[in-house]
Amino acid sequence: MRSFLKFFLASFVALFVFSILSFFFMLMIFARMGAKEKVVVGANAVVVLDLSQKFNELRVDDPFRAYFAGGAGNAPGLFDASRIIRLAAEDTDVKGIYIKADGNGNGFAASEELRRAVTDFRKSGKFVYAYAETLGQNAFYIASAATKVYVHPKGMVDFTGYSMTMMYLKGMLEKLDIEPQIFYNGKFKSATEPLREYKMSDANRIQTTSFLNELYGDFLVKVGEARKIDTASLHRYANEALVYEPSDAERLKLIDGLRYDDQIMDEIKRSLSIGGDESVNFISLNRYAVANGVYDGYSGNIALIYAEGEIRSGADGDNMIASDDYVKMIREARQDKDIRAIVFRVNSPGGSALASESIWRELTAARKSKPVIVSMGDYAASGGYYISCMADSIFAEHNTLTGSIGVFTVLPNMKGFFNNKLGITFDGVKTGEYADAGSVDRPLTDKEKVIVQRGVDTIYATFKERVVAGRKLGADVVDSISQGRVWTGRQALALGLVDRLGGVQDAIDCAARMANIPEVELTTFPRPQNTLEKLMKSFGREVKASFVKEELGEDYRIFEAIKKVRNMQGEVQARMPFEMLIQ
């Protein structure tokens, strides 16, 4: 007994000491994460623009990943990045920009925002070097704006044209004996196609060909202007596969030369007039932003509200547009007398029609007391357009994908799956004919199908009414350009779906003019979270995502698609095709 007590007390003391030490260790980590690092730009600085970094609309401040991954969890938002680049153009300590062009994690409109900022930077007379070991087309779109574009001698240049791939799940669902009962309105509404077709419908092929050619044509024009090559020649290079080796790209003047990394560093040093043994003072966009106080201040006369991701009902949305959260944000901006205008930045393929209506309602109320300007990002389609159409003025990039005015709902019938695959059967009682309508254990009856379709048609009619009222277009016109069809920003401008082509700054300038604001100060939403909130959310998100990806590997995309179908169940959706890959 005595030996047991000794062992128990020793173990208890050890556990107590370990807990105390762990507590203080965690406090030290929190302190380091929460501490503001003082950053000095220094002389002869070169700002690094890493295109493999995805620039979300809202700044990413991930303390967990930043601490354990050497700062990789911190990144400026897209608008922050463009402001940083323009600020660097006026900074005498900054001598140039170095673009790391191995991949591009950003969409078409985001790439345009970055490219425009680089083009404006070059007007300062400072150098811009772009370098890649493997130069893809999406990265080349931005890199082509550089003073010089170099590629690794044994690397690769992709110049083959654009393609778009959609994943179709109908065959898989049939093998699982699952029937997706689909109801939609809009002949171009292709969001349900992956569930009901083996391949593209004719209508979807028409709209996809249209906007893909528009995007590719813009790519050829921008690259041609930068490289001083006519678009017909560029089109021929791609169609005839003339760019096979990096040397082909150099010979055809697509790039300026072939260099190894050390040769690029030597060229940058010569531009800075520093010795060969000296190090280049590279500074990331995020560190430059911290050094110049770009992130400081959260109160002003214009509210810039970022709405990025899928639109969902409810609150506390992580990487999505949760309607309860956004209603509160918009209402706060509407009721704040110091805020005289609202810029609503939308980057969303859509989602819940009901959630979209709630956000639309609150923005409509805000517009009665102050100007509301919408700025569209990569996507502002379907539900993303629903929450945009009431604005005083709508700005889109020429390569924004928008429109897709149409709705659908999916009610899966899993009776065959449960009965035939799992051996599970169901039975029960009900007090009314439709009490169990929409249950996954049986198919809908003909009467139930009529009721569901009527609901979808009603929401589609409401959607079109919102567009008619917001855009001041005739009902016949709206009907002709709706039907779930996707348009580029340039096409949308010609159709009256948007008012101007431009980025976030253009929308802010418009809001300032409408509200007669001589000096703009921004209030950004969502508000920043405290360090502990960020840490806990970040940790949970990282653990879940890494576990699923590790288990599924290449099948992770299929898992994500199925998860989205599950989340759609029973709620009318206004969204684009949920799995679209353009490359």
Side-chain angles (χ1 to χ4, degrees), residues 277-296:
D277 295 331
E278 296 182 63
S279 298
V280 178
N281 178 21
F282 287 119
I283 184 168
S284 69
L285 288 179
N286 193 67
R287 287 177 60 81
Y288 186 81
V290 172
N292 288 275
V294 173
Y295 303 145
D296 297 343

